[in-house]
């Protein structure tokens, strides 16, 4: 797992809350005790991921279950860059066990990347990412699937959920292929 260090708010990156990004599922995080990564009074708070399920055909040809097995993710709200935009930084270790619900085959995906996320009133989001995050794609510039995307890149998410991954250094690893 990677340890991540954030700079000042203007250049901050944080761990991507991958379940929300990847699957477009509920955004309400589970409640958890503060992790060792949280510094009292620092403005960082726990941002745990919840287990999730995706039906067959939505991302992979088979139903998939995801569950964090290491989750030290914290988030920090930053000053908004414009009216109607919220900006949040995420950081911390995250390993998600992704399981083929038909066969039981699983893969433990280290998705301990960092992200700075702008969320717009329209429902659109723009992510600046460094390192690996879990991305589920229905519509977008990657084929339908479930991926660990790694490198230095951005992810644009339209109000309808279309995802566009772009950047100078992007690698993808298909989790559907790993657990087929």
């Amino acid at each position: 797992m990677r340890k991540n260090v954030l700079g000042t708010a203007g250049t901050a990156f944080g761990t991507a809350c991958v379940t929300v990004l990847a699957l477009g599922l509920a955004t309400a995080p589970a409640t958890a005790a503060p992790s060792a990564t949280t510094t009292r009074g620092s403005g960082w708070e726990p941002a745990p991921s919840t287990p999730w399920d995706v039906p067959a055909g939505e991302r992979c040809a088979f139903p998939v279950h995801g569950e964090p097995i290491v989750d030290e993710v914290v988030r920090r709200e930053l000053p908004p860059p414009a009216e109607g935009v919220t900006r949040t930084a995420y950081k911390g270790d995250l390993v998600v066990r992704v399981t083929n619900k038909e066969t039981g085959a699983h893969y433990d995906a280290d998705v301990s990347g960092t992200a700075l996320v702008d969320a717009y009133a329209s429902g659109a989001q723009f992510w600046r990412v460094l390192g690996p995050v879990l991305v589920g794609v229905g519509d977008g510039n990657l084929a339908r699937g479930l991926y660990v995307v790694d490198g230095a890149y951005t992810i644009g998410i339209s109000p309808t959920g279309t995802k566009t991954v772009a950047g100078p250094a992007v690698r993808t690893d298909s989790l559907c292929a790993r657990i087929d």
Side-chain angles (χ1 to χ4, degrees):
M1 290 172 287
R2 300 175 187 197
K3 292 291 181 187
N4 299 301
V5 179
L6 299 185
T8 63
T11 59
F13 285 94
T15 295
C17 189
V18 299
T19 305
V20 174
L21 167 66
L23 303 169
L25 300 176
T27 58
T31 303
S35 71
T37 311
T38 305
T39 304
R40 185 177 300 274
S42 70
W44 292 100
E45 62 184 40
S49 297
T50 58
W52 45 267
D53 291 286
V54 179
E58 193 170 304
R59 298 294 181 257
C60 303
F62 43 84
V64 177
H65 175 75
E67 187 161 341
I69 58 174
V70 173
D71 193 347
E72 296 296 324
V73 177
V74 292
R75 71 182 188 149
R76 182 177 186 176
E77 296 297 319
L78 301 173
E83 188 174 325
V85 180
T86 60
R87 179 168 281 173
T88 308
Y90 295 89
K91 69 177 183 173
D93 291 332
L94 182 61
V95 177
V96 177
R97 176 163 290 164
V98 180
T99 304
N100 178 329
K101 290 177 70 174
E102 289 177 350
T103 66
H106 68 273
Y107 178 74
D108 294 341
D110 182 352
V111 289
S112 301
T114 59
L116 182 64
V117 179
D118 289 343
Y120 299 85
S122 67
Q125 297 180 14
F126 187 73
W127 295 62
R128 293 163 189 86
V129 186
L130 182 61
V133 297
L134 182 63
V135 179
V137 178
D139 293 317
N141 67 337
L142 297 175
R144 179 179 302 271
L146 190 57
Y147 302 92
V148 173
V149 179
D150 198 357
Y153 53 97
T154 62
I155 302 172
I157 305 173
S158 76
T160 61
T162 300
K163 295 181 181 88
T164 304
V165 178
V170 180
R171 292 176 304 284
T172 60
D173 181 12
S174 171
L175 297 181
C176 296
R178 282 192 176 271
I179 62 174
D180 188 11

